[in-house]
Amino acid sequence: MSALSFDFSGKTAIVTGAGSGIGAAIARELGRSGALVVVSDLDEEAGRTIADEISGAGGEARAFAADVSDPAAMKALTDFAADHGGGLHLAVNNAGIGGPSAPAGEYPEDDWRQVIDVNLNGVFYGLRHQIPAMLASGGGAIVNMASILGSVGFHQASAYVAAKHGVVGLTKAAAMEYAAQGIRINAVGPAFIDTPLLKKNLDDETLGQLAGMHPAGRLGTSEEVSALTCFLLSDRASFITGSYHLVDGAYTAQ
Ligand code: NAP
């Protein structure tokens, strides 16, 4: 399969949760396409490894460790990117966690708070600082990583489903507010993607069952999510904002 190619020369991008899985694939593709990529992750070493990989392949990248659920850290990340890159033009609020499996009537309250804090509040803290930085840079584009579970439910995952539905709503509201000022904000909804997030939570039998739930007959790949995300970040998507874009092997078409 030939790669879609984008030109992000002269743009500075933040990708959160970029030390692994989908975020790492997006950071690599932005780096290959000419952006200065700020590779951010909770895990400092994972972020540095991906930044080094991008630099080693001829791209420009910096690592910056930040917990998306910490508003001060999200401000520091945004300031770092804007200072090093001569402004901020692109952002992908991608960091997320799965949370434990339990029905809503038994869901542990601390885990509920943590999943909402990372998966929903973390996206808000990103937007809260990225939007002013992009206004100061003359505009930009943001993708928030939702999920198919931003539009349908799933057993034993009420916190994750609630957070991802929230990300879709937050994306729409913020996109309306800034469309006339040159900032586009979209959400992406992947189905089940073959990443460490799935593998660290599920055994092989469950992974096989999940693959079979997609009419495409398999899990998606991080690169397939990255292709859609980079298109939405690119100028080719200049009239696309405030919407939620599935990459799901027909999972939600059933
Ligand atoms: P992943 O491989 O686990 O990567 C997520 C990265 O985010 C990890 O490096 C993780 O670090 C980091 N992270 C976790 N909490 C963080 C925090 N508070 N602040 C900053 N970074 C944090 O997961 P993925 O599958 O690529 O998922 C990326 C995004 O796609 C998530 O928002 C997820 O909900 C969404 N998504 C995934 C799937 C799927 O099937 N994989 C489907 C739909 C949507 P640690 O490893 O140290 O925790």
Side-chain angles (χ1 to χ4, degrees):
M1 188 174 64
S2 69
L4 280 174
S5 62
F6 302 102
D7 182 6
F8 294 114
S9 311
K11 311 262 191 196
T12 302
I14 290 172
V15 185
T16 67
S20 173
I22 294 170
I26 294 167
R28 288 189 192 101
E29 187 154 8
L30 288 170
R32 270 199 307 276
S33 309
L36 187 169
V37 191
V38 178
V39 179
S40 187
D41 202 280
L42 192 57
D43 179 338
E44 191 168 1
E45 199 174 326
R48 199 173 316 111
T49 302
I50 300 298
D52 287 349
E53 197 188 302
I54 293 168
S55 304
E60 248 195 299
R62 307 271 187 285
F64 191 96
D67 178 346
V68 296
S69 67
D70 174 354
M74 293 310 281
K75 177 171 177 3
L77 167 62
T78 308
D79 290 348
F80 174 87
D83 290 349
H84 281 73
L88 178 69
H89 313 98
L90 308 170
V92 183
N93 293 306
N94 165 78
I97 56 174
S101 295
E106 297 166 28
Y107 206 87
E109 290 166 4
D110 285 349
D111 291 307
W112 170 274
R113 276 189 285 273
Q114 199 198 357
V115 172
I116 298 293
D117 233 14
V118 175
N119 291 9
L120 176 57
N121 295 342
V123 175
F124 166 68
Y125 300 140
L127 295 180
R128 174 67 184 78
H129 297 292
Q130 292 152 7
I131 288 170
M134 287 185 186
L135 289 174
S137 306
I142 300 173
V143 168
N144 297 325
M145 199 54 65
S147 161
I148 47 170
L149 305 187
S151 62
V152 296
F154 199 77
H155 285 282
Q156 312 229 351
S158 53
Y160 188 91
V161 169
K164 294 300 187 181
H165 275 66
V167 168
V168 173
L170 171 58
T171 300
K172 291 177 182 174
M176 290 169 63
E177 291 163 354
Y178 293 96
Q181 294 172 77
I183 301 179
R184 295 184 301 101
I185 309 174
N186 288 289
V188 162
F192 292 94
I193 307 298
D194 186 1
T195 72
L197 177 86
L198 276 198
K199 288 196 168 136
K200 66 190 163 205
N201 290 314
L202 304 171
D203 58 33
D204 283 351
E205 193 188 336
T206 313
L207 283 173
Q209 285 165 358
L210 274 183
M213 291 165 73
H214 301 70
R218 63 172 176 86
L219 302 175
T221 68
S222 294
E223 289 70 27
E224 288 170 323
V225 181
S226 174
L228 173 61
T229 302
C230 288
F231 168 70
L232 292 169
L233 292 174
S234 77
D235 292 341
R236 303 293 298 275
S238 48
F239 198 54
I240 304 178
T241 190
S243 39
Y244 164 59
H245 305 266
L246 297 163
V247 47
D248 76 349
Y251 183 103
T252 54
Q254 299 172 90

